[in-house]
Amino acid sequence: MVSKDKEALHLEGVISLIDVIHDELTGELSRTTGELIEERRHALAELGSEISDDTQIEYSQVLPSLKMQEEIQVNRQDVAGSLSRMKDRPYFGAVTITDDDAGREKLYIGLNSLKDPSTNDLIIYDWRTPVASTYYANHLGPVTYNVPDVGARTVDVNERIQLVIEDGRLLDVFDSELYIGDDALQHLLVDTAKDRMKAIVSTIQQDQNEIIRQTSAKDMLVLGPPGSGKTSIAMQRIAYLLYLHRHKMSADNMLFITPNEMFGDYIGEVLPELGEASINATTFFRLRYKLGRRNEYETLFKHIERMRHAGAEEQHDFTLKSSEAMLAALDRTIAQLAERELKFRTVRIKEEPFATTEELEYLFYDKFKSSPIDTRLKKIQVELTPRYHKALDKAIKERTKALKKVHTYIGTDDELERRAKQEMTKQFRTLKNYIAHLQFVNIERIYLDTLKRLDSGTRNRTMAALKNRALNYEDIAPLLYLNVMIKGLQKEPKIQHLIIDEVQDYSPVQLACISAVFPNARKTMLGDKHQLVHPFPVNTLDQLNAIELTKSYRSTVQITEFTKQLIDNDTTESLGVQGREVTSISFEAFKEQLKTLDSESAAIISRDAAHAEAINAALAMPDVTLLTHDQFIFTKGKLIMPNYMSKGFEFSYVFIIDYDGYDQEQDKFLLYTLASRATRSLTLVGKED
């Protein structure tokens, strides 16, 4: 039986050791910082602030030494920061194992490793170390774990304990054979809804652990119900991969494609909490910038609202542009362009032709025909560049001549030449960018021709939109796919790993577009085929092999059971805490309840943006915040939002307004998505007065 007193004494000893190491490191930092400042001062005094030919060699010898010392100093500062964080919670669990080689040993598991400097022994093991996998097994006895470049090792797990530590104090300790699920451990799940997503390292389950540590070179698809920890698993997986490949991969080589702009902010604290740098996050909509600013594109949220009221033609166009048939047609178009039908635009300077369509076609199909498509275009680019410089030089000379003919004094000859150069370079900038981005290739015409082969009506409606320079959300993926695949530009080869959340919302064309933009990236894709807010979802998940999670930890048993009934789901297993029943109340009763609600995690969910504004006006409460389409920062408090904006987030309290106004059959997946946002309380509210 585990002894709380013994564990408390051990914790005191560890914290004391952390204090000693931290104090020594702080003193070392203070001393070396002074030395580094003095060395910089000495270098400037000896060599001067300007680099001359005489001092260049001396600088080349001194600078690498200074740079190395600065890097060591930054590393010391990082370690000192890590030690400061470790004092509050040095570890969260321990596992006692018996190894044939090392015998019986107790390993404490935390966010970071810690060595005893006097013995060089590890006294805390980073949760990402191979042996820490034994802690996440859901049974005692023989457990096998993998060591990279070594292979499988088997040990006996004799004991596993969980420790609840806050502010350096041991609050509780549990001896657990089943890692989570028994009543004694449910308090770990009591308050999961925060203002930001948090790390789940201390509550990783065995099935989650296997996903996090997956090292296969193949893309991975993880499906699971709300509260199964999919997004948290992804963040832990990023931290694990950064640890595993720390010498060849950094946070800059990873990217999270989030379902909306707020979500990037929502997950922003997880990796720093794990001691890793945050990775960049983006949305699919942001990829439209790779198409330039020639056209405006409909946002995702406006797209959803439009499609909810779309007529037959709009529904048809969206479904076609998002389909497997569309992707196949795009690939056929690209394949045939090597032989025929690549569309070019005449390049002009003002109104004068700079390179005609006929000339560009000759260069592409005759002069450079032996090269691949993207190489041919680059050769045309090379061909046009000297011509651009010649035209620019001519324009500068003509402008200089014109300025010199001005009768009043406006500058010296040198000044006039500089002015002419600035004016003409600015004027020719559009042409320069046109050549650099291969804009003489008419991607829009190629897109229209592809649509024509599928449906002339869709093609005609899209052509009208192009004339107005206002395209729909579903046009982004096919246009960008053509742009990247034909021109070979706008790729991001440095990204080695992608996390794609809510993957069930992506069409085959969007997924192919993402693969084209990030050609070197393996993908971890996360989704739930039942969480749908789009009125016309395009399901691509059935064609992919998936790892399926079935346990839900987030919401109370009552909320999870309610969501399961909405879609006749009998596979999800609820491991949440017991809570209050889902209730239905009037809008007036809701207003009174909201006045006294003391929570920084409450979502008031409306049908759409207009409905959200109406609710906000009806409530007129100063502590309630209306979230709009242009919201980039996730905020805590009592929030009103359109239903599609709530996807991906979790809240302690959720109120679905005008619940009876939804069609229980047609909107069942939408309601399932909304209801599963709640972790502790779900209230179904009547229509506002």
Side-chain angles (χ1 to χ4, degrees):
M1 185 70 181
V2 64
S3 167
K4 184 177 179 181
D5 290 339
K6 282 186 178 180
E7 292 299 338
L9 282 172
H10 179 81
L11 176 62
E12 285 180 21
V14 171
I15 291 176
S16 295
L17 180 60
I18 291 172
D19 281 333
V20 170
I21 298 171
H22 185 267
D23 289 346
E24 289 180 356
L25 185 60
T26 302
E28 180 75 5
L29 267 170
S30 179
R31 181 182 63 79
T32 52
T33 298
E35 291 176 354
L36 190 56
I37 291 171
E38 184 59 33
E39 192 165 341
R40 283 181 188 157
R41 187 181 294 122
H42 176 74
L44 284 172
E46 289 291 316
L47 302 174
S49 58
E50 294 185 10
I51 301 177
S52 65
D53 292 339
D54 295 334
T55 58
Q56 204 166 29
I57 295 174
E58 292 177 77
Y59 259 116
S60 67
Q61 293 170 343
V62 170
L63 289 178
S65 173
L66 283 173
K67 186 173 184 293
M68 184 181 296
Q69 290 179 58
E70 288 170 0
E71 288 174 352
I72 292 170
Q73 199 74 346
V74 168
N75 184 58
R76 287 191 184 115
Q77 290 168 347
D78 289 343
V79 173
S82 177
L83 288 168
S84 296
R85 291 191 297 270
M86 286 182 78
K87 284 181 62 175
D88 291 335
R89 194 187 185 203
Y91 45 81
F92 50 78
V95 59
T96 302
I97 63 172
T98 302
D99 187 296
D100 291 339
D101 298 327
R104 189 179 175 93
E105 187 178 8
K106 189 170 187 176
L107 314 176
Y108 285 84
I109 313 298
L111 290 180
N112 301 104
S113 293
L114 181 69
K115 280 186 177 181
D116 185 336
S118 63
T119 63
N120 212 34
D121 291 335
L122 275 171
I123 58 173
I124 300 175
Y125 285 77
D126 190 301
W127 67 276
R128 295 168 290 188
T129 56
V131 72
S133 279
T134 58
Y135 174 74
Y136 296 112
N138 64 358
H139 62 88
L140 303 182
V143 170
T144 300
Y145 65 95
N146 286 309
V147 181
D149 302 324
V150 175
R153 294 196 64 178
T154 301
V155 297
D156 274 327
V157 176
N158 310 119
E159 180 188 61
R160 178 175 47 210
I161 62 173
Q162 288 181 308
L163 301 115
V164 182
I165 301 170
E166 289 182 13
D167 299 322
R169 293 172 51 245
L170 180 63
L171 302 183
D172 222 333
V173 57
F174 300 106
D175 186 350
S176 178
E177 179 173 346
L178 292 177
Y179 178 57
I180 219 164
D182 60 333
D183 293 338
L185 300 178
Q186 288 300 315
H187 75 284
L188 291 172
L189 301 170
V190 165
D191 188 21
T192 59
K194 306 286 184 183
D195 58 321
R196 296 288 191 282
M197 179 176 284
K198 301 297 183 183
I200 61 161
V201 172
S202 61
T203 56
I204 293 171
Q205 305 298 290
Q206 184 179 25
D207 52 355
Q208 297 172 334
N209 184 54
E210 290 171 358
I211 295 168
I212 289 167
R213 294 174 187 263
Q214 177 65 249
T215 58
S216 169
K218 296 180 180 178
D219 292 343
M220 184 191 308
L221 172 63
V222 180
L223 299 179
S228 56
K230 297 184 297 295
T231 306
S232 294
I233 288 169
M235 301 307 291
Q236 263 54 230
R237 178 160 165 71
I238 291 168
Y240 176 73
L241 291 172
L242 288 173
Y243 174 86
L244 186 66
H245 304 295
R246 55 192 175 278
H247 298 304
K248 57 182 179 181
M249 184 187 292
S250 71
D252 290 338
N253 301 122
M254 295 188 160
L255 183 68
F256 202 126
I257 300 182
T258 62
N260 55 58
E261 294 290 355
M262 282 194 302
F263 202 79
D265 182 59
Y266 180 64
I267 62 175
E269 292 180 3
V270 177
L271 286 171
E273 186 182 342
L274 294 170
E276 298 289 352
S278 290
I279 68 168
N280 289 324
T282 190
T283 60
F284 185 83
F285 182 62
R286 268 199 235 171
L287 296 182
R288 78 193 187 282
Y289 290 127
K290 294 179 179 292
L291 290 168
R293 301 184 182 275
R294 183 180 175 86
N295 301 302
E296 292 293 324
Y297 294 91
E298 176 187 49
T299 65
L300 173 60
F301 291 151
K302 287 183 178 178
H303 164 74
I304 292 173
E305 292 211 354
R306 177 176 63 87
M307 292 309 299
R308 285 180 175 176
H309 306 286
E313 286 184 346
E314 284 181 288
Q315 293 178 30
H316 169 77
D317 292 349
F318 164 75
T319 303
L320 178 64
K321 291 175 181 179
S322 305
S323 66
E324 291 277 3
M326 183 77 229
L327 179 58
L330 292 170
D331 285 335
R332 284 195 299 271
T333 294
I334 293 165
Q336 77 182 23
L337 291 179
E339 301 298 328
R340 65 185 189 280
E341 294 187 10
L342 186 64
K343 307 298 182 184
F344 291 99
R345 293 188 180 96
T346 292
V347 185
R348 299 179 184 277
I349 301 175
K350 295 183 179 179
E351 297 303 316
E352 294 298 316
F354 174 80
T356 65
T357 300
E358 293 76 18
E359 181 184 4
L360 294 169
E361 286 176 352
Y362 164 75
L363 292 171
F364 186 84
Y365 284 115
D366 293 295
K367 186 172 181 178
F368 303 133
K369 67 179 180 180
S370 61
S371 300
I373 290 177
D374 58 344
T375 305
R376 292 189 219 180
L377 294 175
K378 289 184 177 69
K379 287 183 177 181
I380 293 175
Q381 190 181 57
V382 170
E383 183 104 357
L384 296 181
T385 300
R387 192 185 304 182
Y388 157 78
H389 288 297
K390 185 177 179 181
L392 175 60
D393 289 343
K394 181 182 177 183
I396 292 170
K397 288 176 182 176
E398 289 176 353
R399 180 57 179 157
T400 302
K401 189 176 179 180
L403 289 171
K404 288 180 178 179
K405 286 183 178 180
V406 176
H407 296 299
T408 57
Y409 178 78
I410 56 175
T412 66
D413 286 353
D414 286 344
E415 288 171 343
L416 296 180
E417 287 176 9
R418 282 196 296 273
R419 176 175 166 182
K421 186 174 182 179
Q422 289 173 349
E423 288 180 4
M424 291 300 99
T425 300
K426 184 177 180 180
Q427 194 175 107
F428 273 61
R429 191 173 296 151
T430 300
L431 175 59
K432 184 179 180 180
N433 290 335
Y434 210 83
I435 296 170
H437 297 123
L438 306 177
Q439 289 178 319
F440 48 81
V441 179
N442 195 335
I443 295 294
E444 294 163 358
R445 278 283 307 278
I446 297 168
Y447 179 39
L448 290 173
D449 287 352
T450 305
L451 286 173
K452 187 176 181 180
R453 297 184 189 101
L454 294 172
D455 187 284
S456 58
T458 300
R459 183 257 187 195
N460 293 338
R461 288 185 288 274
T462 305
M463 184 168 66
L466 279 166
K467 286 180 179 177
N468 293 325
R469 299 277 177 256
L471 292 170
N472 291 329
Y473 181 79
E474 61 268 27
D475 290 307
I476 297 172
L479 277 169
L480 183 53
Y481 185 70
L482 286 171
N483 202 64
V484 174
M485 296 300 287
I486 292 170
K487 296 181 181 179
L489 301 179
Q490 302 297 350
K491 295 180 181 181
E492 296 192 29
K494 80 168 186 177
I495 299 298
Q496 298 178 35
H497 202 97
L498 281 176
I499 305 291
I500 305 176
D501 206 359
E502 304 290 353
V503 70
Q504 72 275 9
D505 294 336
Y506 290 80
S507 72
V509 186
Q510 285 178 306
L511 290 176
C513 180
I514 290 169
S515 294
V517 173
F518 306 100
N520 297 333
R522 282 185 291 164
K523 294 186 282 291
T524 298
M525 298 173 286
L526 317 158
D528 176 1
K529 61 184 71 175
H530 298 135
Q531 286 191 60
L532 303 170
V533 298
H534 197 286
F536 305 102
V538 183
N539 188 355
T540 61
L541 303 184
D542 293 337
Q543 300 143 27
L544 303 170
N545 293 323
I547 300 170
E548 300 214 29
L549 302 170
T550 58
K551 297 174 183 176
S552 178
Y553 305 92
R554 182 171 69 201
S555 303
T556 62
V557 172
Q558 288 78 7
I559 292 172
T560 301
E561 290 304 315
F562 177 81
T563 60
K564 288 167 63 177
Q565 292 170 15
L566 286 171
I567 59 170
D568 299 322
N569 170 13
D570 58 3
T571 59
T572 299
E573 179 184 356
S574 175
L575 294 179
V577 296
Q578 291 291 327
R580 53 179 284 194
E581 294 295 330
V582 177
T583 57
S584 298
I585 61 174
S586 68
F587 190 81
E588 283 303 311
F590 155 68
K591 286 173 67 175
E592 293 304 311
Q593 184 177 331
L594 195 62
K595 289 176 184 177
T596 59
L597 179 64
D598 182 19
S599 175
E600 292 190 330
S601 178
I604 302 157
I605 300 179
S606 67
R607 291 187 304 274
D608 52 34
H611 189 212
E613 289 180 3
I615 294 168
N616 189 46
L619 293 176
M621 295 182 185
D623 62 340
V624 172
T625 302
L626 173 65
L627 297 188
T628 57
H629 284 179
D630 56 359
Q631 188 84 19
F632 276 55
I633 304 299
F634 184 82
T635 182
K636 58 186 178 181
K638 301 172 185 176
L639 311 175
I640 302 175
M641 65 187 72
N643 52 33
Y644 44 78
M645 284 185 73
S646 69
K647 191 174 184 185
F649 301 106
E650 58 183 60
F651 304 91
S652 296
Y653 295 84
V654 167
F655 303 90
I656 304 177
I657 310 300
D658 192 17
Y659 181 81
D660 291 338
Y662 289 89
D663 186 306
Q664 293 294 308
E665 179 56 34
Q666 183 176 321
D667 297 326
K668 64 181 180 181
F669 293 120
L670 173 59
L671 291 173
Y672 168 80
T673 306
L674 306 184
S676 60
R677 302 306 92 207
T679 63
R680 295 294 163 261
S681 173
L682 174 61
T683 305
L684 314 177
V685 182
K687 186 176 177 63
E688 69 277 16
D689 296 334

